[in-house]
Amino acid sequence: MPLAFELDTMDSLTSQPSTQASHQRELQYNSELTNFVSRLTEEKMELRNTLGRLEEEIWRYRQRGAKQQIQRLYGKYLRADSYRKALVYQKKYLLLLLGGFQDCEQTTLALIARSGVYTSPEDLQ
């Protein structure tokens, strides 16, 4: 548009049209500029609103992603805790078995010792 306005100005200087026609062109040019500026302002507002909506959507997406990460970590924690409890149960069970076996073994060795038969030289001591 500036180029067209300059060409119009050059033509108007060389041809020397009336001042009224020149003012008319300037008013039309100003009107076009005003319309262009108002369209740009409206477009800027639309883009600003779109940007706000997108930023809000990004915020929601990040919140949802954080919740999913927390849920995944909580699931890992539950599995690890369950595994730990299973190991504690197994340890207690094995200790009970060994304790019972030890009692049984001591009783058996005592019976053998009373009968006078020794399984090894260490048993004599």
Side-chain angles (χ1 to χ4, degrees), residues 86-100:
L87 287 176
V88 167
Y89 175 78
Q90 289 173 359
K91 180 182 175 183
K92 287 181 181 178
Y93 177 74
L94 288 174
L95 286 174
L96 285 173
L97 280 179
L98 289 175

Side-chain angles (χ1 to χ4, degrees), residues 5-62:
F5 181 69
E6 287 177 10
L7 289 175
D8 286 346
T9 307
M10 294 300 282
D11 287 344
S12 66
L13 290 177
T14 56
S15 64
Q16 294 294 329
S18 69
T19 17
Q20 187 177 9
S22 170
H23 286 304
Q24 194 68 17
R25 267 186 300 220
E26 287 178 19
L27 287 174
Q28 183 180 359
Y29 181 70
N30 285 342
S31 154
E32 290 173 3
L33 282 177
T34 304
N35 288 337
F36 184 69
V37 168
S38 66
R39 280 194 313 248
L40 286 177
T41 304
E42 288 174 12
E43 188 176 338
K44 182 177 92 172
M45 294 303 292
E46 288 175 13
L47 289 173
R48 199 176 274 171
N49 291 338
T50 304
L51 179 64
R53 285 193 304 270
L54 288 174
E55 286 175 345
E56 187 176 318
E57 190 174 326
I58 288 171
W59 180 81
R60 274 193 239 120
Y61 177 75
R62 285 182 179 165

